[in-house]
Amino acid sequence: QVQLVESGGGLVQAGGSLRLSCAASGRTFSRNAMGWFRRAPGKEREFVAGIRWSGDRTYYADSVKGRFTISRDNAKNTVYLQMDSLKSADTAVYYCAADSQIFRPVTSTGAQYEYWGQGTQVTVSS
């Protein structure tokens, strides 16, 4: 059974940092694009960041560019999201997602990702 488990969320003051982790089990995703999405209260789910299977290309939503960094460790089957200079607008549940198809380019479209974690809450106080 494939599982994606996020961790690292919590409460932080504006301007602070958090590092989210997403550990995958049940299969390897070393050849699959992975991404982070978020859903804020009363809003649609949105793409935050994505990373190519090889880790050499990353993509970000404009709202987080320059503040968030996505990375991966294929040996650990884990993807990370380093979040710096957090703002109250970043408050949301953050979800890790994995594409089921190997070598497919990163996309910001949630429908392309077959596997999802349960989410981790990030709350930024102003």
Side-chain angles (χ1 to χ4, degrees):
Q1 181 182 358
V2 176
Q3 281 191 311
L4 301 179
V5 179
E6 301 99 335
S7 61
L11 174 65
V12 63
Q13 287 188 330
S17 299
L18 282 174
R19 188 192 194 209
L20 305 184
S21 298
C22 171
S25 61
R27 62 164 282 181
T28 180
F29 289 103
S30 61
R31 296 178 294 177
N32 304 75
M34 296 189 74
W36 286 94
F37 290 75
R38 67 186 181 187
R39 188 191 301 271
K43 294 189 176 180
E44 299 283 320
R45 183 182 64 192
E46 65 173 351
F47 172 80
V48 174
I51 187 165
R52 192 171 180 235
W53 65 272
S54 55
D56 60 344
R57 290 191 182 178
T58 56
Y59 305 84
Y60 299 93
D62 288 342
S63 59
V64 306
K65 204 170 291 183
R67 300 187 298 121
F68 289 12
T69 304
I70 187 171
S71 61
R72 66 190 298 163
D73 184 338
N74 285 341
K76 294 182 178 180
N77 219 17
T78 299
V79 65
Y80 306 95
L81 185 68
Q82 177 67 40
M83 306 186 295
D84 298 318
S85 302
L86 283 161
K87 307 174 181 179
S88 56
D90 296 318
T91 295
V93 177
Y94 284 71
Y95 299 91
C96 170
D99 192 341
S100 60
Q101 195 169 110
I102 62 173
F103 303 135
R104 186 152 61 178
V106 173
T107 178
S108 61
T109 303
Q112 185 166 302
Y113 296 86
E114 180 177 350
Y115 302 103
W116 293 82
Q118 81 290 348
T120 185
Q121 176 71 46
V122 171
T123 303
V124 184
S125 64
S126 56

